[in-house]
Amino acid sequence: MPADLSTLYPTSHIQVVITSFGYGHAPAPQADLTVDARRHLRNPHTDPALRDLTGLNPTVRQHVLATPGARGNIQHVANYAQTLLDDAANQRQRLVTIAIGCIGGRHRAVALAEEIAATLRAGGVGVDVEHRDVDKPVIQD
């Protein structure tokens, strides 16, 4: 990801870019806020029926969101992004980047990214979601 994202989104209504990723594939992308979902959320990888699916699947997403505290974390990240937008000195070039990682970047990170995006969109914020590693092979134990 380039250092100056305003060149990618110069006149669009995108205000937040959320990237899900897997720490097991490559380092975290540069972001204003990085969320590590490895320790505190239920891992769908442990369920053989969910392992080959992704966080774009409603069953996987619900599995992740059923973790105690998951919805609170989503709201906190969305609130933080909104605060960064509200505090931006240059309103024409304000863009907040969020990176959300789990081990493989297929389950928890994807589910969280989609839910945070939905929360922000409900508040009128333009959001672009990128899933860097969702199509990469499942990382085996």
Side-chain angles (χ1 to χ4, degrees):
M1 205 176 282
D4 182 10
L5 291 175
S6 64
T7 59
L8 289 177
Y9 304 99
T11 58
S12 70
H13 295 354
I14 298 298
Q15 297 167 286
V16 176
V17 175
I18 303 172
T19 303
S20 70
F21 69 95
Y23 285 98
H25 294 291
Q30 183 177 0
D32 297 311
L33 173 64
T34 302
V35 177
D36 186 340
R38 292 178 288 186
R39 291 185 46 214
H40 298 289
L41 294 176
R42 292 174 50 186
N43 189 355
H45 179 84
T46 61
D47 183 339
L50 302 178
R51 185 170 297 145
D52 292 321
L53 302 174
T54 74
L56 297 172
N57 179 286
T59 303
V60 173
R61 188 179 296 180
Q62 188 53 41
H63 181 88
V64 172
L65 297 179
T67 304
R71 293 194 184 273
N73 284 325
I74 290 163
Q75 192 60 55
H76 288 303
V77 172
N79 289 345
Y80 183 70
Q82 186 63 60
T83 298
L84 289 176
L85 288 172
D86 292 345
D87 291 347
N90 183 345
Q91 296 297 312
R92 290 189 61 217
Q93 293 186 352
R94 67 183 186 170
L95 182 69
V96 173
T97 55
I98 301 170
I100 304 172
C102 59
I103 293 171
R106 294 177 45 91
H107 300 108
R108 293 170 288 185
V110 172
L112 280 181
E114 292 293 333
E115 288 298 314
I116 293 165
T119 300
L120 288 167
R121 287 179 184 127
V125 176
V127 181
D128 184 39
V129 180
E130 303 167 352
H131 300 297
R132 185 186 81 182
D133 300 325
V134 73
D135 293 325
K136 292 191 177 160
V138 173
I139 294 177
Q140 300 303 321
D141 296 334

